[in-house]
Amino acid sequence: MIWKSFENIIEPHTPEAERLARIDPERIPRHVAVIMDGNGRWAAARDLPRIEGHRAGAESVKEITETSVRLGVRYLTLYAFSVENWKRPQTEVNDLMRLLRRYVQEDLPTLMKHKIRLQALGRLNELDYKTRVLVEKAIHSSRDNTGLQLNIALNYSGRAELVDAMRALGRQCAGGELNPQMIDEADIDRHLYTAGIPEPDLLIRTSGEYRLSNFLLWQMAYTEFYFSPVLWPDFRKIHYFEAVIDFQQRERRFGGVKKA
Ligand code: IPE
Ligand code: IPE
Ligand code: MG
């Protein structure tokens, strides 16, 4: 049992164990999405270059991914690079791509060990060739894994995703395969990068920013939002547990009324 295995890695009578005990294993969010923010500020606070913040953030990625596996979360979607992030200095973009390449190469054995299936959301064709090939290779190697699905949002923009979906639907209409009058929400869903993935139950954004920054705009219509002041490189499983505890106290109504 995934849940049971936690007992080996969390010391009893620690703050982590106390939080974990408050989580209802029957109501774990199926899909958690994370806007990993605050790497630059973490580095600036230490007089370090921004890349050091991204490097430290990669450790949080590992911890939160592993914790997701152990909690029994089925889908974890991490916002790693937005379409708008190309506006950053070229050196930072290069550093981020280098870190990403290193991650998909060096961590592939760990992903395989935990039976994690990697997927990417975004316009991968606009990445440089080297990065794209390595990402696609890791996706391919892990495609038959049956555990956690780890979605990395890469060159992702919620609006660009909708544009891509509209173009695909437009082509089908022009080709006579689809009647515009018959287009429904399921048709749109099918053409998103997230086709086949259930909508996020919980969104976590770190670093005290309260915005979506173009993330999963269509998919988060009924997602529960959790904002943490902690900078991403400092975000640890105790913070994740707190987010899940908070989530479990929410009453999700989806526009209906409270259940009697
Ligand atoms: C998030 O940290 C990582 C990426 C967007 C790639 P930032 O780099 O945005 O850090 P801040 O927001 O400047 O502190
Ligand atoms: C959102 O963070 C994108 C990622 C985490 C990859 P940003 O730092 O780019 O967002 P803004 O600019 O603060 O909205
Ligand atoms: Mg930021």
Side-chain angles (χ1 to χ4, degrees), residues 161-179:
E161 178 181 38
L162 285 165
V163 167
D164 288 348
M166 300 308 155
R167 286 180 183 164
L169 289 168
R171 279 193 299 273
Q172 290 187 355
C173 289
E177 300 157 54
L178 187 65
N179 173 355

Side-chain angles (χ1 to χ4, degrees), residues 8-28:
N8 307 326
I9 59 157
I10 293 185
E11 291 289 318
H13 314 298
T14 55
E16 281 88 355
E18 185 276 325
R19 303 301 192 287
L20 183 57
R22 284 161 56 199
I23 294 179
D24 176 356
E26 302 297 324
R27 289 169 51 234
I28 299 296

Side-chain angles (χ1 to χ4, degrees), residues 37-38 41 88:
D37 200 8
R41 278 163 283 167
R88 296 186 179 202

Side-chain angles (χ1 to χ4, degrees), residues 135-146:
V135 170
E136 283 173 348
K137 202 166 146 247
I139 292 172
H140 186 77
S141 305
S142 69
R143 73 191 184 286
D144 293 327
N145 287 345
T146 53

